[in-house]
């Protein structure tokens, strides 16, 4: 099996050496919090809007999100949930 050609310099162990690490609070203009729609209302959890919580985001990659739950517009309207 052939090895793929590397597109980035990995000498320092970082495949994106031109990226600068920053805290989200330092680059986001507005961070919002909300609330989880009631899990007792099953109809809230049968929608098409992705529900993403911090546990769905992998520590070292904002691009690698495991979305497995979806909510309805009613869930957003009738709870403290925020759509961003």
């Amino acid at each position: 099996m052939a090895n793929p050609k590397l597109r980035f310099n990995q000498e320092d162990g970082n495949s994106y050496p031109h990226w600068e690490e920053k805290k989200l609070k330092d680059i986001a203009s507005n961070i919002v919090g909300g609330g989880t729609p009631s899990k007792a209302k099953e109809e809230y959890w049968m929608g098409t809007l992705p529900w993403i919580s911090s546990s769905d985001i992998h520590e070292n990659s904002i691009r690698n999100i495991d979305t497995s739950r979806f909510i309805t517009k009613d869930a957003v309207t009738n709870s403290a949930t925020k759509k961003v």
Side-chain angles (χ1 to χ4, degrees), residues 5-75:
K5 182 178 178 183
L6 295 177
R7 298 183 313 168
F8 304 100
N9 178 2
Q10 294 184 332
E11 290 178 11
D12 62 357
N14 184 354
S15 60
Y16 299 100
H18 60 282
W19 287 16
E20 183 179 338
E21 186 173 320
K22 294 187 176 191
K23 293 188 181 285
L24 184 58
K25 68 178 185 169
D26 295 335
I27 60 171
S29 61
N30 188 21
I31 298 175
V32 298
T36 304
S38 174
K39 293 190 178 178
K41 296 193 177 224
E42 291 182 30
E43 64 270 20
Y44 283 176
W45 296 90
M46 297 179 180
T48 58
L49 301 173
W51 173 263
I52 300 172
S53 62
S54 58
S55 63
D56 298 324
I57 303 171
H58 295 269
E59 184 175 334
N60 293 318
S61 177
I62 191 69
R63 294 173 186 244
N64 191 9
I65 299 173
D66 291 329
T67 306
S68 60
R69 297 168 290 177
F70 297 85
I71 60 173
T72 63
K73 290 180 183 178
D74 284 340

